[in-house]
Amino acid sequence: MPAIAVLGCMWGDEAKAKIVDYLGTDTEFVVRFQGGSNAGHTIVVEGKKYVFHAVPSGILYPGTKCVIGAGVVIDPISLVSEIQELENSGIDFNQRLFIDERAGVVLPLHRELDTISEGMLKSGKIGTTGRGIGPAYADMTARAGIRIIDLAHPSYLKRRLRELYQYHGRSLDNAGMKEVSQTLAMCWERLKGYVAPTFGMLQEAHKRDAGILFEGAQGTMLDRSWGTYPYVTSSNTLVDAIGTGAGFSARKLDEVLGVYKAYCTRVGEGPFPTEIHDELAQKIRIQGNEFGATTGRPRRIGHFDAVLASYTATLNCLDGIAVTLLDVLSGIEELKICVGYKLGKRVLSEPPAHPLDLQKVQPVYTVLSGWEEDITQARSMAALPANARIYLEAIQDLLELPVKIVSVGKQRHQTFNA
Ligand code: IMO
Ligand code: MG
């Protein structure tokens, strides 16, 4: 069984979990390696909707073990309630969830700092999910952060908490310390059974040739280094983050699959060259239920951007792509795909690094004819209308990569191999 990475390759919300779920029927491990509860991964099984934030979506398959790797930042309060909710809907976590000891901790302090920093940014807010992700990663990088394993060492934890508050120019009085350490102690009681050294577990599984799926969160255009900085998330989201975030070198992967929506969306601020503002955007938003799974915010909508898509395909060294939400484009007369950016007199084939330049680029479009038919029942390429096939072929040609999987609806079964 292979080791496969499933990565969001735009600005997140590409329906990664749906593809993980499609591929994961008999995989042994599903692993999250970066991000935190800023992710909102949705899977619909027999009409029932499950939303995951930190728990890998593989938990839906009873035989699958799920790992939260060292590169993830975990909000223990939110993880405890996520587990509780999933248990209430009948999911068994016993011997199935493993949290790496080295994972970072998101504290209520980080949520507060996230809100404060959004209000303070004079150059324009980022539009974060407000989950404390940026401040938590910043503290990890500054070596001031708290790790999950610290929760097992109460006096050490108290020292670290005091120093962390000092680092942020705050003092933690006795009552404050009591409150935060009691909350963490309660979370630890609930989580400690899941905390494990996951490094050896994944290496051993790989030696046995067990199936391992790595579930990306966010997307390459939100990568801290290669995305639309500063309008990005605070982790690296590229394939290489699997090595640092799960202790499993990306060199060991057998396949890297990039997930793209058939159009583009973005939630939060930042440049979006192919964004559309007319009725078409609203039609796609309603049709595709483009509202954030974590924050409920309406997502911004745009045409498929092959400039960015080729860039992210190269960054991740993709073997193939999955195209999701193709059904949402039914009933649109003309479909545009961005094939280049004009910036002044130049035509660019990759995005400029500066947000002011990316904001200024004029997309160059190729226009394709759409299709009228409802395609939600299609289960093969042959069952798609000719124009839908031509649209997928155009994406395939522009990215120079095979379309391997197509998704035509929310439900688990509305997916097929191309
Ligand atoms: P999934 O895994 C879409 C966006 C936020 C904001 C920026 C920074 O469901 O695809 P953060 O809270 O991470 O500091 O916010 O990143 N963002 C996402 N957008 N999908 C996500 O996750 C996202 N996680 C963060 O909207 O623009
Ligand atoms: Mg999401």
Side-chain angles (χ1 to χ4, degrees), residues 11-14 16 38-41 126-130 133-134 217-218 222 232-233 267-269 297:
W11 283 288
D13 302 325
E14 301 89 348
K16 299 171 280 287
N38 47 350
H41 296 173
I126 305 299
T128 72
T129 59
I133 303 300
Q218 290 80 52
L222 290 171
V232 293
T233 191
V267 58
E269 308 304 317
R297 291 178 290 180

Side-chain angles (χ1 to χ4, degrees), residues 94-173:
N94 194 25
Q95 294 302 308
R96 300 192 48 225
L97 177 66
F98 303 92
I99 302 171
D100 194 86
E101 303 163 307
R102 294 172 173 85
V105 172
V106 182
L107 298 166
L109 168 71
H110 293 123
R111 284 190 179 236
E112 200 187 316
L113 292 170
D114 199 355
T115 314
I116 294 172
S117 76
E118 283 282 89
M120 272 174 22
L121 286 171
K122 296 245 170 13
S123 56
K125 64 183 182 110
I126 305 299
T128 72
T129 59
R131 297 296 189 270
I133 303 300
Y137 273 119
D139 280 348
M140 292 308 289
T141 301
R143 294 158 295 192
I146 308 287
R147 301 193 302 170
I148 281 289
I149 194 63
D150 294 338
L151 273 47
H153 302 274
S155 3
Y156 178 82
L157 175 64
K158 279 190 184 156
R159 255 193 344 263
R160 292 287 294 175
L161 283 169
R162 192 158 284 121
E163 284 165 10
L164 176 64
Y165 274 73
Q166 268 165 8
Y167 173 78
H168 287 288
R170 296 171 174 228
S171 64
L172 193 56
D173 61 15

